[in-house]
């Protein structure tokens, strides 16, 4: 018996992230076998992921599994997987807005749906959340376009626009736009010895928003500049929020932990650009358990933040100085600025509802080939 098995893979960039794309037929359906397969494919657990396809960074240790639609209002099924790096974790908690922008491009190139010019609308069923994502992919000559005028901070070159509509993802993780029923809650933080205000909002992905100033920081910090205490506090808040949202205690990603600060000048991660306070509505930093910071900003998190900024009483609306909308919310992140249009309104029974939320990314196919997985790593025991 051969000591390695082969599997067709495609590497795609979506927004500011990269992911290994797999056809659903090539992935084990049994949950335990699937976990062993994905960990072996990515070379986890290992801080360098040296014996697999992982990029040793949260933005590049991602997987998208694409298959035929399992519901009639979709063109494809999309399952997002976040692969642990130094831990043997395989998480299906989130949707990943950046990688979702590449799913339509992939589906068209794989001829899973027909190409229409000058643009094709792709209906993507995200199995993580059970929600439908809609995206419009620019096409020419029977293929998705690569070149264009759309610029994404954190991506070196301009590209063809992929317009994503997340309007149908309200309550995707918890079932409610405001999981606790309130725009603002208070949580006691043991490390601070006091309560701090937070906001939990769920659109695309559930997020817990924390005032950076309550943790003694500005929100303009870059990766490597926050102390370990900040990450410990943020994780304590995330666990509290997960409990309030009835999410699994074993989760590691949701709700996203996002620090919010008022608009202010700051230098980006590359050091070659100063973002002016006049360019943004506020600064935001996504932090992760284990002491990492997102080098740009997650797509799902940006959708949620843009909606939260238009709900009266939330931490983002406070930092912005208004909850007026509909409007394009400008988020200042470590790599620059991302703008998300949202339209949030009150219903007749005084509930908040998301009428519209969409954003723009670029996506590109980077590599096709065959990966080899050690058979011994797939065996039990």
């Amino acid at each position: 018996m051969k000591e390695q098995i082969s599997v067709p893979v495609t590497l795609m960039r979506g927004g500011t992230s990269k992911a290994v794309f797999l056809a659903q037929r090539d992935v084990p359906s049994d949950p335990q076998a699937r976990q062993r397969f994905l960990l072996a494919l990515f070379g986890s657990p290992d801080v360098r992921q040296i014996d697999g396809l992982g990029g040793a960074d949260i933005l590049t240790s991602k997987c998208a599994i694409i298959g035929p639609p399992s519901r009639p209002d979709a063109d494809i099924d999309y399952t997002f997987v976040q692969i642990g790096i130094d831990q043997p974790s395989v998480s299906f908690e989130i949707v990943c807005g950046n990688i979702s922008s590449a799913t339509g491009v992939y589906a068209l190139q794989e001829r899973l749906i027909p190409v229409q010019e000058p643009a094709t609308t792709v209906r993507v069923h995200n199995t993580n959340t059970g929600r439908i994502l809609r995206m419009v992919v620019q096409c020419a000559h029977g293929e998705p376009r690569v070149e264009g005028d759309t610029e994404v901070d954190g991506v070196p070159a301009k590209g063809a626009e992929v317009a994503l509509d997340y309007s149908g993802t309200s309550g995707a993780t918890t079932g409610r736009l405001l999981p606790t029923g309130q725009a603002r809650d208070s949580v006691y933080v043991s490390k601070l010895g006091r309560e701090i205000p937070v906001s939990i909002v769920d659109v695309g992905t559930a997020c817990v928003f924390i005032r950076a100033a309550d943790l003694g920081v500005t929100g303009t910090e870059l990766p490597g500049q926050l102390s370990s205490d900040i990450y410990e506090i943020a994780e304590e808040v995330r666990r509290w929020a997960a409990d309030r949202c009835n999410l699994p205690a074993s989760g590691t990603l949701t709700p996203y932990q996002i620090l919010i600060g008022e608009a202010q000048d700051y230098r980006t991660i590359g050091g070659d650009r100063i973002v002016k306070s006049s360019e943004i509505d506020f600064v935001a930093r996504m932090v992760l358990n284990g002491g990492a910071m997102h080098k740009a900003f997650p797509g799902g998190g940006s959708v949620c933040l843009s909606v939260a900024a238009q709900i009266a009483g939330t931490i983002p609306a406070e930092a912005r100085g208004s909850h007026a909308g509909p409007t394009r919310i400008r988020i200042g992140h470590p790599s620059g600025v991302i703008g998300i249009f949202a339209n949030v309104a009150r219903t007749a029974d005084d509930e908040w509802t998301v009428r519209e939320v969409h954003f723009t990314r670029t996506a590109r196919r980077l590599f096709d080939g065959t990966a080899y997985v050690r058979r011994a790593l797939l065996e039990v025991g």
Side-chain angles (χ1 to χ4, degrees), residues 65-367:
I65 302 172
I66 308 297
S70 57
R71 46 191 284 184
D73 56 347
D75 297 308
I76 60 170
D77 274 5
Y78 154 52
T79 301
F80 174 75
V81 194
Q82 184 75 54
I83 311 296
I85 299 174
D86 58 345
Q87 298 295 321
S89 61
V90 174
S91 173
F92 297 85
E93 293 178 49
I94 61 174
V95 56
C96 188
N98 277 302
I99 293 306
S100 68
S101 67
T103 61
V105 175
Y106 175 86
L108 290 167
Q109 291 175 332
E110 291 292 307
R111 301 299 187 242
L112 299 178
I113 55 176
V115 173
Q116 298 179 4
E117 299 180 17
T120 306
T121 297
V122 185
R123 303 168 302 167
V124 179
H125 170 220
N126 174 240
T127 65
N128 304 76
T129 62
R131 297 297 199 272
I132 297 294
L133 318 175
R134 289 177 172 81
M135 59 196 70
V136 178
V137 181
Q138 303 301 309
C139 298
H141 310 298
E143 293 284 344
R145 293 191 59 196
V146 173
E147 305 301 336
D149 297 325
T150 298
E151 189 171 5
V152 176
D153 283 348
V155 179
K158 295 180 181 180
E161 177 188 70
V162 177
L164 295 100
D165 181 357
Y166 266 57
S167 303
T169 65
S170 185
T173 305
T174 66
R176 300 182 66 187
L177 174 61
L178 296 177
T180 68
Q182 302 181 108
R184 185 178 298 203
D185 294 277
S186 293
V187 52
Y188 179 82
V189 179
S190 59
K191 204 168 187 66
L192 295 176
R194 56 183 170 86
E195 289 189 344
I196 63 171
V198 300
S199 295
I200 307 174
V201 182
D202 181 8
V203 181
T205 299
C207 298
V208 56
F209 300 103
I210 308 166
R211 272 197 310 230
D214 286 335
L215 276 58
V217 295
T218 66
T220 63
E221 290 79 9
L222 300 177
Q225 294 181 351
L226 291 176
S227 69
S228 59
D229 286 348
I230 302 300
Y231 290 101
E232 290 176 16
I233 292 170
E235 176 59 13
E236 184 178 348
V237 172
R238 187 198 69 79
R239 288 180 177 273
W240 171 87
D243 180 67
R244 290 297 302 273
C245 295
N246 294 315
L247 295 175
S250 59
T252 58
L253 296 174
T254 52
Y256 280 175
Q257 311 150 74
I258 297 178
L259 308 184
I260 302 291
E262 295 181 354
Q264 54 201 291
D265 296 355
Y266 68 95
R267 191 176 294 275
T268 61
I269 194 170
D272 56 351
R273 176 185 174 190
I274 295 178
V275 175
K276 297 292 186 180
S277 61
S278 59
E279 298 179 62
I280 57 178
D281 291 295
F282 38 64
V283 292
R285 301 292 186 265
M286 177 183 171
V287 297
L288 299 145
N289 183 27
M293 179 190 292
H294 200 295
K295 294 181 177 65
F297 207 75
S302 63
V303 164
C304 190
L305 178 48
S306 68
V307 168
Q310 294 183 44
I311 297 177
T314 64
I315 298 297
E318 176 190 69
R320 181 185 166 213
S322 169
H323 71 276
T327 190
R328 180 173 176 266
I329 299 297
R330 305 164 301 165
I331 303 167
H333 59 77
S335 294
V337 181
I338 180 174
I340 309 291
F341 178 84
N343 182 358
V344 186
R346 283 189 184 276
T347 62
D349 53 359
D350 207 33
E351 295 287 335
W352 291 100
T353 185
V354 179
R355 291 180 174 173
E356 187 179 6
V357 58
H358 55 77
F359 64 106
T360 295
R361 302 273 85 181
T362 63
R364 188 169 75 87
R365 197 180 195 102
L366 303 177
F367 169 82

